[in-house]
């Protein structure tokens, strides 16, 4: 994790691509309630795509494997990936299913609720990954999440692990994981809810967050990073245990903050940054994203990070 080879390492992201339909409201509606909302935004999203775009905007070298429908959203997504400089050779097109869509509501505090119609994402199969085996072979790091079928995730993780790649799993949205897959992970990056589910530890404060990280580490994952929203992110491994505080910002929309964190974290690892340094960088990049509305519309570019560095880090 420590070497300083400046050559950009190849990153492979396997995951979902959605089109997000976002409405900004004063508050999130209760069941049966209609809230007259403010702004509407249609924006590219999906956890996998958000992570791949983050990596590209931070100058990482990234290939993205996903499946979209053979429809306007799918065609647009592929074009956008190419414009971002992402290798889209393994963006598969599904003749049977539509592209994934997410309906998102964001309240005045920036909190959201999301419903996803997975469409073609649910049809990204191990057989597709076999076609993309050359990309797994070439990659140095694999980043994946849980918005595609679990069998596909397990196949990806095990294939990459057998090829001695560093595999980072962002276990979002929360789903139970097999022990056999967990032992193949180099790093896992749950949020608070996901960490509680994996560890069985209720996170109420810093101490319980450490206990949760320790419990997940004991399941066989070398490096654990628990993201704690506005509190920051906790890193844990055999020689490191530290809560890195979040950069303080006025949140407008927290959608995709976790995706941006993960993309940035993996870019930092690909550049040979140490564990703590990589988490700090990811906290800084994701802080910028919550000051903007939308998923991919909120992701900063590397040059913006340089501007941020020249300002007071704690007050964006
Ligand atoms: O993590 C945020 C993402 O979750 C959104 O872009 C939406 O598409 C859902 O997948």
């Amino acid at each position: 994790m420590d070497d300083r080879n400046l050559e950009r390492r190849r990153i492979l992201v396997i995951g979902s691509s959605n089109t997000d339909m976002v409405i900004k409201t004063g508050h999130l509606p209760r069941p049966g309630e209609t809230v007259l909302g403010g702004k509407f935004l249609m924006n590219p999203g999906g956890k996998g795509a958000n992570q791949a775009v983050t990596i590209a905007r931070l100058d990482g070298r990234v290939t993205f494997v996903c499946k979209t429908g053979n429809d306007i959203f799918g065609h647009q997504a592929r074009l956008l990936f190419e414009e971002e400089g992402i290798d889209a050779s393994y963006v598969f097109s599904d003749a049977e299913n539509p592209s994934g869509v997410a309906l998102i509501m964001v309240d005045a505090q920036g909190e959201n609720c999301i419903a996803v119609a997975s469409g073609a994402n649910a049809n990204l199969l191990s057989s597709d990954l076999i076609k993309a085996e050359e990309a797994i072979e070439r990659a140095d790091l694999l980043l994946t999440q849980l918005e595609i079928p679990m069998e596909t995730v397990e196949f990806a993780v095990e294939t990459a692990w057998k090829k001695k790649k560093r595999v980072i799993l962002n276990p979002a949205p929360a789903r139970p994981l097999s022990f056999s897959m967990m032992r193949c992970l180099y790093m896992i990056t749950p949020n608070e809810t996901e960490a509680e589910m994996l560890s069985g530890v209720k996170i109420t404060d810093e101490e319980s967050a450490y206990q949760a990280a320790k419990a997940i580490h004991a399941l066989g994952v070398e490096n654990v990073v628990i993201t704690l929203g506005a509190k920051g992110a906790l890193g844990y491994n055999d020689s490191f245990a530290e809560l890195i505080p979040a950069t303080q910002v006025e949140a407008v929309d927290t959608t995709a903050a976790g995706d941006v964190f993960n993309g940035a974290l993996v870019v930092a690892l690909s550049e040979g940054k140490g564990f703590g340094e990589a988490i700090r960088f990811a906290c800084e990049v994701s802080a910028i994203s919550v000051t903007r509305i939308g998923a991919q519309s909120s992701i900063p570019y590397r040059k913006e990070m340089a501007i941020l560095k020249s300002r007071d880090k704690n007050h964006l």
Side-chain angles (χ1 to χ4, degrees):
M1 189 133 63
D2 241 344
D3 66 308
R4 300 277 155 175
N5 183 349
L6 289 178
E7 193 196 320
R8 294 188 308 164
R9 299 228 161 88
R10 286 176 193 271
I11 302 166
L12 179 64
V13 178
I14 299 177
S16 57
S17 170
N18 292 329
T19 298
D20 293 351
M21 308 284 175
V22 186
I23 295 181
K24 183 95 177 153
T25 59
H27 66 272
L28 301 177
R30 289 182 299 274
E33 183 186 6
T34 299
V35 176
L36 291 181
K39 279 189 187 148
F40 168 75
L41 170 77
M42 191 168 88
N43 189 240
K47 295 185 191 306
N50 297 341
Q51 294 177 8
V53 169
T54 302
I55 293 166
R57 290 194 188 168
L58 295 174
D59 300 338
R61 189 177 189 188
V62 59
T63 300
F64 183 40
V65 177
C66 69
K67 192 173 264 185
T68 63
N70 183 12
D71 50 27
I72 179 78
F73 292 150
H75 300 159
Q76 204 170 322
R78 172 186 277 279
L79 283 177
L80 287 171
F81 298 147
E82 285 168 351
E83 276 170 24
E84 296 283 354
I86 295 170
D87 176 354
S89 316
Y90 298 103
V91 173
F92 297 105
S93 179
D94 190 335
E96 312 284 315
N97 298 287
S99 295
V101 170
L103 299 183
I104 304 181
M105 278 171 283
V106 181
D107 72 11
Q109 285 69 45
E111 290 302 329
N112 62 50
C113 77
I114 304 180
V116 178
S118 296
N121 293 303
N123 200 27
L124 180 67
L125 305 175
S126 307
S127 51
D128 296 308
L129 299 193
I130 290 169
K131 293 179 205 146
E133 201 169 350
E134 166 269 340
I136 303 177
E137 189 64 61
R138 271 192 296 135
D140 296 297
L141 300 111
L142 166 67
L143 173 62
T144 188
Q145 341 67 32
L146 304 178
E147 263 188 346
I148 54 175
M150 187 59 88
E151 308 79 69
T152 310
V153 175
E154 288 177 347
F155 182 83
V157 168
E158 278 168 30
T159 306
W161 175 74
K162 281 187 192 142
K163 293 179 187 294
K164 305 207 181 320
K165 312 297 177 180
R166 285 186 285 173
V167 181
I168 296 97
L169 175 68
N170 172 221
R175 290 164 77 178
L177 303 178
S178 69
F179 292 122
S180 59
M181 177 167 74
M182 285 186 76
R183 75 181 168 82
C184 302
L185 300 176
Y186 170 73
M187 188 177 287
I188 194 163
T189 60
N191 67 12
E192 214 165 304
T193 319
E194 293 146 8
E196 288 183 356
M197 183 195 241
L198 294 172
S199 65
V201 176
K202 176 99 191 115
I203 299 179
T204 50
D205 54 13
E206 199 174 322
E207 180 49 34
S208 51
Y210 277 114
Q211 293 312 322
K214 210 170 165 181
I216 296 168
H217 182 256
L219 295 173
V221 187
E222 192 181 332
N223 299 287
V224 180
V225 179
I226 302 182
T227 54
L228 298 165
K231 293 185 218 81
L234 186 144
Y236 188 93
N237 66 20
D238 279 336
S239 57
F240 185 99
E242 198 179 322
L243 172 62
I244 312 276
T247 310
Q248 294 307 305
V249 291
E250 190 90 18
V252 171
D253 180 3
T254 56
T255 308
D259 304 332
V260 174
F261 180 94
N262 276 275
L265 183 72
V266 173
V267 168
L269 295 174
S270 78
E271 293 173 354
K273 288 192 169 63
F275 192 36
E277 207 185 336
I279 297 172
R280 195 162 286 112
F281 178 68
C283 283
E284 289 170 1
V285 181
S286 60
I288 297 188
S289 75
V290 304
T291 65
R292 302 167 179 175
I293 192 157
Q296 285 167 39
S297 52
S298 74
I299 302 171
Y301 290 83
R302 190 71 177 239
K303 55 179 181 286
E304 294 178 75
M305 298 311 298
I307 297 167
L308 170 75
K309 284 270 176 212
S310 63
R311 288 197 218 148
D312 178 355
K313 269 198 203 161
N314 290 321
H315 300 282
L316 268 180

